[in-house]
Amino acid sequence: GAGVSQSPSNKVTEKGKDVELRCDPISGHTALYWYRQSLGQGLEFLIYFQGNSAPDKSGLPSDRFSAERTGGSVSTLTIQRTQQEDSAVYLCASSLDPGLRTEAFFGQGTRLTVV
Amino acid sequence: AQSVTQLDSQVPVFEEAPVELRCNYSSSVSVYLFWYVQYPNQGLQLLLKYLSGSTLVKGINGFEAEFNKSQTSFHLRKPSVHISDTAEYFCAVSDRNGANNLFFGTGTRLTVIP
């Protein structure tokens, strides 16, 4: 597609359930980022993938969060045993240049609500 | 590590008035600086960026920002705002030496009043 695609756009889940959020980056973009946007909190970095290098997981808030990127393309963010504080908009972005000298393109996000 | 501070969470301004959205950063290394905009119900998009060279950077929709190394600032300005500029604006910083991460501020909501 022309842009970064995220699915689902909205997800309501019960506390304690696992969820998977998907990101399809722009074709050819080697860098992929996950962020979390909470009300009044700005964008919180979660994880960064660059090509075949080991991902930068330094932003993951707990071991309930994990992410993978298959074949250098599609990425899945998994949240296990969801908690109410996990409710937020999860944003994915991709960039052609890992040095960020070119633009990072963002998807529309997945709004996660944990009830 | 880098961090970004946007002191103003909300900025109301009348249409056709000038506006400045403040951004300060902290970093122990040289950085790239960015402003992103998020219009209502839309994704983030790049407004402008500073990589090197001239400290005054011009972006889309008439916005510009000035990199001030001594004050570690990258304030965003527009001389005359329109209703359509109502949006959330995010300042971001990246380490130019290879950390390849993008750290965002908490955002400033600009509301243009008719």
Side-chain angles (χ1 to χ4, degrees):
Chain A
V4 177
S5 177
Q6 292 187 246
S7 60
S9 56
N10 281 282
K11 176 72 175 178
V12 179
T13 189
E14 292 182 351
K15 178 180 173 182
K17 300 282 189 182
D18 298 352
V19 294
E20 285 190 352
L21 312 180
R22 178 187 169 103
C23 172
D24 284 89
I26 294 173
S27 178
H29 281 195
T30 59
L32 187 147
Y33 308 80
W34 281 99
Y35 289 87
R36 179 166 67 176
Q37 186 177 21
S38 306
L39 194 62
Q41 298 296 318
L43 276 76
E44 176 188 5
F45 164 72
L46 297 177
I47 188 169
Y48 162 69
F49 295 91
Q50 170 50 38
N52 295 321
S53 302
D56 177 356
K57 304 180 181 179
S58 60
L60 295 178
S62 77
D63 58 8
R64 296 187 295 105
F65 288 72
S66 63
E68 62 177 23
R69 188 178 184 190
T70 54
S73 181
V74 172
S75 178
T76 302
L77 177 69
T78 301
I79 309 173
Q80 296 178 309
R81 305 181 303 280
T82 52
Q83 304 294 314
Q84 288 186 330
E85 61 262 30
D86 300 334
S87 296
V89 176
Y90 289 81
L91 295 171
C92 176
S94 71
S95 174
L96 179 63
D97 182 344
L100 282 168
R101 288 178 291 272
T102 58
E103 179 176 354
F105 291 86
F106 282 80
Q108 296 276 56
T110 293
R111 181 176 296 280
L112 175 66
T113 304
V114 182
V115 298
Chain B
Q2 296 81 38
S3 67
V4 178
T5 302
Q6 292 182 249
L7 290 172
D8 306 306
S9 60
Q10 297 189 56
V11 173
V13 63
F14 286 104
E15 192 174 14
E16 297 184 5
V19 69
E20 178 180 85
L21 306 183
R22 296 180 293 169
C23 172
N24 288 87
Y25 69 93
S26 65
S27 176
S28 58
V29 298
S30 297
V31 296
Y32 298 137
L33 294 158
F34 307 81
W35 275 98
Y36 278 80
V37 59
Q38 187 175 32
Y39 296 106
N41 301 314
Q42 295 187 29
L44 277 85
Q45 62 183 88
L46 183 67
L47 200 56
L48 50 78
K49 62 185 176 184
Y50 170 78
L51 302 181
S52 64
S54 172
T55 57
L56 183 63
V57 179
K58 294 187 183 299
I60 61 173
N61 301 337
F63 283 91
E64 62 181 32
E66 185 159 17
F67 169 55
N68 187 317
K69 188 175 182 179
S70 62
Q71 296 185 6
T72 60
S73 68
F74 191 56
H75 301 332
L76 181 70
R77 303 185 183 99
K78 186 170 182 178
S80 175
V81 295
H82 300 142
I83 297 291
S84 59
D85 292 324
T86 294
E88 188 97 18
Y89 292 79
F90 293 92
C91 183
V93 62
S94 175
D95 168 11
R96 66 167 60 220
N97 291 326
N100 299 331
N101 204 339
L102 198 56
F103 293 92
F104 285 85
T106 52
T108 298
R109 179 167 297 279
L110 174 64
T111 302
V112 180
I113 305 163

